[in-house]
Amino acid sequence: MPIISTGPSPEPHRAREVAESFGTDAERYDRARPRYPDALVKRIVAAGPGPDVLDVGCGTGIAARQFQAAGCTVLGVEPDARMAGFARRGGLRVEEATFESWDPAGRDFDAVIAGTAWHWVDPVAGAAKAARVLRPGGRLAAFWHVFQLPPTVADAFAAVYRRVVPDSPFNLRTDTPAMDVYQVMFAKAADGIRSAGGFGEPEQWRFDWEHTYTRDEWLDQMPTHATLTGLPDVGRAQVLEGVGEAIDAMGGAFTMPYATVAVTAARDAGQE
């Protein structure tokens, strides 16, 4: 289901309380959130000049572990100490900071990635910093999962959420294709790259796939989304109950179509 906004500001990176709310249950986040297509990882690795990767907003290390498995050396940057701690326990090197305030200390990289995190970074300042830490020919790749809930599940979620959280800053829409909403965010990311300078023209890479969720699997993932991370336990339980009933009515499972989309650009080879 598309989420149109996170409050009065149209700039998610300014909503720091929301941006740093995902560590409330880092273990659940790591367990329930979907992984990224292997084809995406391989393409990013193949498009860069080497194996050194900086993972911006690395969270629990989901994307970082996939890049490590592809032969890369990964450093994570993560502002939430709870998420960073979980990632470290999984063997990832992590430095705690927002990307905008992070000190690279003279280090440079072959790729700067951000999995479901770049919208929490200032699009211009973030791209400018990526350009400073990327080697010539290195690649910035920010990527997201675009998903569209079945109408029955989406309508149930929207109805119970509006009842439980009538003053929510999130504007949920069931009448707008998810890709249309995400394209606005992709355009902001691309415009930020253009404004920062130092990169070639941004591209979009798209990878389509699907996943079948049981009722319990989807309800396990839902509390990791920004719409629910800040809710009290009682409100969260009411939302999950309403969505669970809708999934039960569908037979207890549903298949979710995903498109994982990367907004990506290479650092100009002539830049030093």
Side-chain angles (χ1 to χ4, degrees), residues 136-195:
R139 181 163 294 275
L140 170 60
F143 41 90
W144 294 263
H145 296 306
V146 181
F147 62 91
Q148 191 85 43
L149 282 167
T152 299
V153 180
D155 290 344
F157 175 48
V160 68
Y161 191 81
R162 289 171 186 142
R163 175 170 56 81
V164 173
V165 198
D167 57 349
S168 171
F170 295 99
N171 180 11
L172 307 181
R173 298 286 299 272
T174 61
D175 59 347
T176 304
M179 188 60 75
D180 290 355
V181 175
Y182 274 82
Q183 283 294 350
V184 175
M185 185 167 64
F186 300 157
K188 287 182 179 179
D191 288 345
I193 293 170
R194 295 187 187 99
S195 296

Side-chain angles (χ1 to χ4, degrees), residues 23 25-32 60 86:
D25 192 343
E27 182 177 354
R28 180 196 295 267
Y29 187 101
D30 193 76
R31 176 181 69 241
T60 60
F86 187 100

